[in-house]
Amino acid sequence: MTITDRTASELLALQAAGDVSARAITDAFLAVIREREPTVQAFVQVDEAAARQQAEAVDAKRRAGAPLGPLAGVPVAVKDVLCTRGVRTTCSSRMLADYVPPYDAHVIERLRAADAVLIGKTNLDEFAMGSSTENSAFQVTRNPWDSTRIPGGSSGGSAAAVAAREAPLSLGTDTGGSIRQPASHCGIVGVKPTYGRVSRYGLVAFANSLDQIGPFARTVTDAARLLAVIAGHDARDSTSVDQSVPAYTQSLDQPLQNLRIGIPQEFLKTGLDAEVEAAVRAALREYQAQGATLVDVTLPHAAHHAIAVYYIVATAEASSNLARYDGMHFGHRTADKGDLIATMSRSRTEGFGPEVQRRIMLGTYALSSGYYDAYYLQAMKVRRLIAEEFATAFTQCDIIASPTSPTAAFPIGEKTADPLTMYLSDIYTISANLAGIPGVSLPCGFTSNGLPIGLQLLAPPFAEERLFRSARMYEAATDWHTRRPPL
Amino acid sequence: MAEPYKIVIGLEVHVQLLTKTKLFCGCRNQFGLPPNTATCPVCLGLPGSLPVMNRTAFQLALRAALALNCQMASFTKWDRKQYYYPDLPKNYQISQYDLPFSAEGWLEINIHPDPKKGHTPKRVGIIRAHLEEDAGKLLHDESGRGGDSRVDLNRTGTPLLEIVSKPEMNSAEEAVAYLEEIRLLMRELGVSDCEMQEGSLRCDANVNLHIPRSDEPHGYAATPLVEIKNLNSFRSVGRAIRYEAERQFSAFQNDPQNYRIGRLLKTTAGWDDARGRTEVQRHKEEAADYRYFPDPDLVPVTVSPEQIDAVRREMGELPSQQRVRLQTQYGLSPYDANVLTAKGRPMVAYFEAVATILNDGKQASHRISDLVFPALSERNEEMESFPIRATEFAGFIQATATLSKQDRVDLFTHMLEQGVNVAAAMEATGLKPATFDEATLRAAVIAAIGNNPKAVADYQSGKTAAANRIKGEVLKANKGAPNDLVQRLLEEELAKQ
């Protein structure tokens, strides 16, 4: 087995045994990146020298007998919406094409402290707005399983990089499904933690009340390992919750007894692809075979209103967050300068892509005088109902299962002309962000075209441990996660 | 009233809080640093940065609002006020919109046009007080050559308390008194240094007139509201309001049908201090749409009754309470109590020490205003560094009890200028109470007894008060002689008669 087919856990063990150096691991992944990037285009930036330097530092520490962090020598790719000190952080936007942050995001600090090797910054839908990574200002990332198809989004680069064996681990962000949906489309594991579990300090905000940083990996264990490193309280994020982080990997292989799995009836009705539905139903039978019981639950508001609520709340917050990019203090400044307002307006028109502009306008409208009560306030009320609905459902079940996405990855360009259809593809994932609960997507089969299908599991707030254990129960009994894309 | 109209004034006051650090980050909150040196990712609004509330700032704000007799909210939140301006790097200001942490208070103001008439207290209602972050400063090229403007973001994110009064002030004097009271209160509470020149106290005035007209539904016609900005001193607040009232009155007289609230829009005017006039800046076409919404990066703040009690306990005596105490404890007039209070806590402490030694509050107050007030203003000095401390001053008052007011002033001036004590000053200037030896005084007493046989006879017949006539003659001839010594000698000599 080549190094790049190894999991992060295996890479740690190999290094500990002295069988391979961090430098050799990094070199192997850099070689794959060089070979596959022309096709996959997952990365917007790879600094080979910097990656090697970090790896060599880990090897030197090991030789000196110094204590090593929990991800020592393991390459991690990072979505280019997370600030990296001295390294461009573009958000895949023309607006921030040259932006170099003077500070590291909290999760980047954590990765450095864990002795991980930051191998590169990955592509995304501009400012994380999209479900296909087609909205990047720089490049279209390809699905490693079929390069004519999208990898999902907005964290498409991070998902594709892990699926393509360009990195064993990566970080994404999930505002409405932006980790789980690309994980599903790329046949890997993606986790959206509870809101407040991971500090957002240094994450360039799309929608602050929904954004959460989370891991991509090829196995549940690896994902748990990475979450354990980045989770925990950070005083610099007022919404970060001061609650201890369980040792996820220790309990992971203990199956949950008498697991009650909630099946939201509304999620298995319209618009669901038959092959996806069949794969998910087969996965549920596997759980039943392991002693789990299926419970019907009902999430009417989540099913019928989540997308509407999301596109008000998220765009309202985004319209405000993105106001700072006006060419004055940050961001692209137009060459065609006029008075203050004209200069700002032209800079923003040139710097933002069409989807970002669309969402800024939607959000501005929703917050405007005379519309606030009807849109934003109403959306916040329904949002609360959705959270309460999930809380009620979790009194009847331990986890909730559904497809991650109603279809497998669609062809590049298929939905770009129809934003609403694109928005609807997030139907199963969005409500978890509105409710602030954690979720995971893990591989549960393939379509007849050989495209991966994802199973989504949701749990109550801060029940990530339960999520990992139940995901691992399924993973241990199946081999979907061991399949390799045809690259 | 003298004018044929009633002025209606509401003030919006911004007070910069005296915290070590800014409202949402750890940068220094300090005036006068080199441009852009007190900044960090948070106050620069760098992508990815997040605000965290400064608890000390919130505590100070609670203290201020309690002193303004405000109702305190048990739940308050932060909102984004959104507008594009280059001094605001995020293009939104973190402020408080519909749930400010305090509302519905009042402040008692003291207007004292004439010491003899005493002061006239008046309560001015407070609509709300809320916290917000300050914007940065733009430095425009004023050479006229159209150079680039520069931005200094040191001030960005410093904590501001906005205090909005009800439109309940009716003269420039009341508006200035309100501002003076706010400044005194904030300084005494340690909330703000309130230096208008440095911008730590800022004020916008909303002004219009009610002009009595018997044929109007309310008995008066109201002129359109004008918001006056750019008020940089207490003096300019008074001048601007007086100017604006006259301007509005003549505008109304020129067009009484149309120059009215409701007919014309609210305008914003800048005060031009050099020209001494207000200049209309813009018409407020409609309420600006700031698209307020709750800041999702910050969590709401809950305030318990216990927290409020704790803040109240730490607050100490408020100026309004102090004024009453100075009257009851030391017998001061309302006017004197007000003047002392307005000078601040160090002055009041000085007064209380002097009054206690002299056992005479009125005398202490009068001597301090005769001698210490002018000395401080002449020397441009603060009470804390005044060289003659309370004990020495009380000793000076006792030692100079028999001197004329002018001699006392000259002696005090000499002490301050030469830096010497009272004994040395008396020696150097020769300004000292006459000394009397007992033998000389006894002779004077005997002579006076001889001059007043009728008084002696009255005294001997039991009218002891008659002795005062004799004593008065002795004291008149021996200015400054100790009263008790003369009394004793007189009693001894009368007994011998």
Side-chain angles (χ1 to χ4, degrees):
Chain A
M1 194 187 267
T2 60
I3 287 178
T4 51
D5 277 326
R6 300 285 190 175
T7 63
S9 307
E10 289 166 344
L11 294 171
L12 289 165
L14 287 169
Q15 291 179 86
D19 292 342
V20 67
S21 66
R23 169 66 198 258
I25 292 170
T26 295
D27 281 341
F29 281 102
L30 288 173
V32 172
I33 288 171
R34 238 174 291 142
E35 176 203 326
R36 297 185 181 166
E37 266 305 281
T39 310
V40 181
Q41 299 184 49
F43 287 89
V44 291
Q45 212 181 158
V46 176
D47 185 340
E48 295 198 353
R52 288 199 182 93
Q53 216 170 6
Q54 295 172 65
E56 281 166 8
V58 172
D59 288 332
K61 265 184 160 181
R62 192 182 297 280
R63 277 195 302 276
L68 288 162
L71 290 177
V74 178
V76 181
V78 172
K79 186 177 183 180
D80 205 23
V81 76
L82 295 166
C83 287
T84 42
R85 186 190 182 111
V87 174
R88 263 188 302 137
T89 300
T90 66
C91 300
S92 288
S93 177
R94 196 177 166 209
M95 188 57 94
L96 290 180
D98 300 316
Y99 178 63
V100 179
Y103 74 105
D104 274 334
H106 175 79
V107 293
I108 301 294
E109 289 176 354
R110 289 285 185 95
L111 286 178
R112 292 194 201 281
D115 290 316
V117 173
L118 300 171
I119 198 160
K121 309 283 303 269
T122 57
N123 195 26
L124 61 143
D125 284 301
E126 184 178 2
F127 283 103
M129 296 179 187
S131 310
S132 67
T133 317
E134 291 166 294
N135 295 332
S136 166
F138 307 135
Q139 66 209 38
V140 175
T141 299
R142 313 284 166 148
N143 191 313
W145 297 87
D146 178 349
S147 62
T148 68
R149 290 175 185 264
I150 57 102
S154 67
S155 312
S158 288
V162 169
R165 273 62 174 170
E166 294 176 328
L169 298 173
S170 65
L171 287 182
T173 60
D174 191 316
T175 307
S178 283
I179 291 174
R180 289 160 290 158
Q181 185 254 23
S184 170
H185 288 345
C186 290
I188 60 170
V189 178
V191 179
K192 175 235 174 281
T194 307
Y195 186 76
R197 177 77 289 183
V198 179
S199 167
R200 295 182 295 113
Y201 190 77
L203 157 62
V204 181
F206 158 22
N208 329 49
S209 74
L210 301 162
D211 294 340
Q212 196 61 199
I213 304 165
F216 286 103
R218 296 205 314 278
T219 66
V220 174
T221 309
D222 277 7
R225 228 177 250 290
L226 181 49
L227 181 61
V229 166
I230 61 169
H233 183 241
D234 173 19
R236 295 169 300 182
D237 175 359
S238 306
T239 64
S240 155
V241 177
D242 193 357
Q243 190 164 326
S244 63
V245 181
Y248 299 125
T249 48
Q250 282 176 17
S251 57
L252 205 57
D253 286 306
Q254 299 162 21
L256 289 156
Q257 302 301 316
N258 307 316
L259 182 66
R260 296 171 303 162
I261 304 177
I263 311 297
Q265 292 309 295
E266 298 87 351
F267 282 14
L268 295 169
K269 281 179 182 161
T270 51
L272 179 57
D273 178 87
E275 285 186 303
V276 172
E277 182 175 354
V280 170
R281 290 202 188 275
L284 296 176
R285 282 194 296 279
E286 171 55 39
Y287 275 107
Q288 284 176 301
Q290 293 191 40
T293 51
L294 305 186
V295 184
D296 286 348
V297 295
T298 178
L299 299 168
H301 289 94
H304 301 301
H305 304 300
I307 289 183
V309 168
Y310 175 85
Y311 278 95
I312 290 168
V313 174
T315 59
E317 293 178 10
S319 72
S320 174
N321 295 328
L322 271 58
R324 73 193 68 192
Y325 309 113
D326 60 4
M328 294 294 133
H329 297 281
F330 321 105
H332 168 79
R333 184 185 289 188
T334 182
D336 182 18
K337 280 189 269 183
D339 64 18
L340 184 66
I341 296 299
T343 304
M344 285 179 170
S345 174
R346 283 174 204 149
S347 298
R348 287 167 70 76
T349 306
E350 293 169 13
F352 289 134
E355 181 62 25
V356 172
Q357 293 190 22
R358 178 161 32 242
R359 295 199 192 192
I360 289 172
M361 285 190 279
L362 281 172
T364 304
Y365 183 81
L367 291 178
S368 292
S369 164
Y371 299 98
Y372 179 87
D373 288 2
Y375 292 100
Y376 187 78
L377 204 60
Q378 187 69 8
M380 292 304 274
K381 287 178 186 166
V382 181
R383 181 178 182 177
R384 179 179 286 185
L385 288 179
I386 291 172
E388 286 169 0
E389 208 165 79
F390 272 102
T392 305
F394 282 123
T395 62
Q396 296 152 21
C397 62
D398 304 309
I399 57 169
I400 289 173
S402 75
T404 305
S405 179
T407 63
F410 47 85
I412 289 165
E414 187 186 83
K415 296 186 180 177
T416 42
D418 185 359
L420 193 58
T421 315
M422 186 85 91
Y423 296 172
L424 289 172
S425 70
D426 295 330
I427 177 92
Y428 302 130
T429 49
I430 271 178
S431 50
N433 300 79
L434 293 170
I437 60 173
V440 59
S441 177
L442 69 161
C444 74
F446 286 84
T447 65
S448 51
N449 292 340
L451 297 171
I453 298 169
L455 170 70
Q456 175 178 253
L457 304 177
L458 303 174
F462 295 99
E464 280 85 358
E465 191 178 15
R466 186 191 303 173
L467 213 49
F468 285 130
R469 286 173 70 183
S470 45
R472 178 65 190 144
M473 280 168 72
Y474 178 79
E475 184 189 65
T478 56
D479 64 356
W480 310 113
H481 62 284
T482 62
R483 299 211 187 170
R484 311 177 63 218
L487 280 163
Chain B
M1 72 188 71
E3 295 88 1
Y5 51 76
K6 178 169 144 189
I7 317 180
V8 180
I9 306 158
L11 295 183
E12 262 180 50
V13 174
H14 284 90
V15 165
Q16 221 170 40
L17 301 186
L18 272 178
T19 51
K20 288 199 181 70
T21 57
K22 294 185 180 181
L23 186 50
F24 296 112
C25 66
C27 288
R28 279 175 298 167
N29 172 21
Q30 195 181 325
F31 181 80
L33 295 170
N36 298 308
T37 54
T39 57
C40 75
V42 177
C43 56
L44 292 176
L46 292 190
S49 64
L50 296 171
V52 176
M53 186 187 80
N54 177 342
R55 300 226 147 251
T56 310
F58 195 77
Q59 292 291 109
L60 281 183
L62 285 180
R63 196 189 293 175
L66 276 176
L68 293 169
N69 305 292
C70 284
Q71 303 292 312
M72 312 302 280
S74 57
F75 177 95
T76 184
K77 66 180 172 77
W78 302 98
D79 301 286
R80 293 184 181 178
K81 178 182 183 177
Q82 311 196 66
Y83 60 97
Y84 285 82
Y85 209 65
D87 65 2
L88 194 64
K90 300 188 295 293
N91 282 333
Y92 63 80
Q93 177 194 28
I94 305 176
S95 181
Q96 299 198 286
Y97 179 51
D98 54 340
L99 295 174
F101 78 92
S102 73
E104 285 301 319
W106 49 266
L107 180 65
E108 192 172 273
I109 60 171
N110 293 276
I111 309 128
H112 42 89
D114 180 353
K116 293 187 181 68
K117 286 183 194 159
H119 77 322
T120 323
K122 170 175 177 170
R123 267 186 194 188
V124 176
I126 308 275
I127 295 173
R128 60 186 278 165
H130 72 252
L131 259 178
E132 61 188 25
E133 57 173 353
D134 206 346
K137 265 186 219 164
L138 293 182
L139 308 158
H140 299 295
D141 176 31
E142 284 172 2
S143 68
R145 287 188 287 272
D148 287 343
S149 296
R150 290 166 193 281
V151 186
D152 177 4
L153 297 179
N154 282 347
R155 201 177 69 178
T156 311
T158 58
L160 278 187
L161 182 69
E162 179 174 329
I163 304 163
V164 184
S165 86
K166 291 182 178 164
E168 292 183 347
M169 285 158 275
N170 301 113
S171 68
E173 290 69 30
E174 286 186 9
V176 172
Y178 173 86
L179 276 181
E180 282 173 344
E181 189 66 13
I182 292 238
R183 180 174 65 177
L184 176 67
L185 195 57
M186 296 302 143
R187 284 180 173 175
E188 303 277 291
L189 290 171
V191 167
S192 173
D193 56 12
C194 288
E195 298 288 354
M196 258 188 138
Q197 301 300 327
E198 295 182 1
S200 62
L201 175 70
R202 281 169 252 162
C203 171
D204 298 333
N206 282 290
V207 178
N208 76 335
L209 305 181
H210 289 177
I211 298 162
R213 309 258 288 189
S214 53
D215 53 341
E216 300 287 333
H218 298 290
Y220 63 83
T223 57
L225 269 183
V226 175
E227 181 178 354
I228 312 173
K229 293 184 171 291
N230 198 30
L231 298 168
N232 294 325
S233 66
F234 283 62
R235 189 167 160 268
S236 66
V237 172
R239 287 179 72 205
I241 290 171
R242 276 187 283 267
Y243 174 87
E244 179 59 23
E246 284 299 312
R247 193 197 63 75
Q248 287 188 20
F249 187 59
S250 62
F252 177 81
Q253 284 176 314
N254 288 340
D255 190 359
Q257 286 318 303
N258 294 310
Y259 192 74
R260 293 190 175 222
I261 199 161
R263 292 270 175 90
L264 289 179
L265 300 163
K266 178 176 174 175
T267 50
T268 300
W271 171 246
D272 184 332
D273 205 49
R275 291 206 174 92
R277 65 188 192 207
T278 52
E279 311 250 7
V280 172
Q281 289 175 331
R282 66 189 147 102
H283 288 271
K284 293 201 165 173
E285 298 286 331
E286 51 190 301
D289 189 353
Y290 291 119
R291 289 174 287 116
Y292 281 102
F293 82 110
D295 192 326
D297 285 332
L298 287 159
V299 287
V301 186
T302 52
V303 185
S304 67
E306 293 74 33
Q307 269 175 284
I308 291 171
D309 286 345
V311 173
R312 212 187 286 278
R313 277 196 301 275
E314 289 165 13
M315 213 155 61
E317 188 178 43
L318 298 178
S320 53
Q321 298 163 334
Q322 190 174 265
R323 286 187 189 101
V324 173
R325 185 175 61 80
L326 292 179
Q327 292 171 45
T328 52
Q329 189 175 335
Y330 297 99
L332 297 192
S333 69
Y335 176 82
D336 288 338
N338 192 36
V339 168
L340 274 174
T341 298
K343 299 277 181 185
R345 279 211 175 129
M347 178 61 85
V348 171
Y350 191 88
F351 158 76
E352 293 198 62
V354 174
T356 305
I357 296 168
L358 297 182
N359 194 24
D360 186 343
K362 275 185 186 160
Q363 194 193 12
S365 156
H366 293 152
R367 295 291 170 266
I368 287 172
S369 50
D370 289 348
L371 298 165
V372 180
F373 289 178
L376 284 176
S377 86
E378 205 163 290
R379 294 158 64 89
N380 196 17
E381 194 163 17
E382 296 297 325
M383 191 69 245
E384 288 94 321
S385 58
F386 192 61
I388 298 178
R389 307 311 305 156
T391 320
E392 189 183 357
F393 185 74
F396 170 82
I397 296 304
Q398 285 167 327
T400 58
T402 58
L403 293 187
S404 70
K405 186 176 173 182
Q406 189 53 52
D407 285 353
R408 217 168 20 233
V409 168
D410 292 346
L411 205 52
F412 197 65
T413 307
H414 182 88
M415 283 169 71
L416 281 169
E417 281 171 359
Q418 304 303 318
V420 296
N421 65 18
V422 63
M426 284 178 170
E427 211 46 57
T429 58
L431 300 169
K432 51 186 168 187
T435 50
F436 299 91
D437 63 77
E438 194 172 322
T440 315
L441 278 181
R442 191 181 291 277
V445 167
I446 291 167
I449 287 173
N451 292 342
N452 290 283
K454 183 166 178 350
V456 174
D458 287 351
Y459 180 81
Q460 283 167 340
S461 68
K463 295 174 184 168
T464 49
N468 288 340
R469 296 210 298 271
I470 307 167
K471 190 169 82 176
E473 191 179 302
V474 176
L475 290 175
K476 198 174 176 186
N478 298 276
K479 266 205 164 50
N483 184 49
D484 47 355
L485 177 59
V486 175
Q487 180 70 31
R488 178 169 63 78
L489 295 173
L490 181 61
E491 282 168 12
E492 285 171 12
E493 291 307 317
L494 282 172
K496 292 176 191 165
Q497 296 295 314

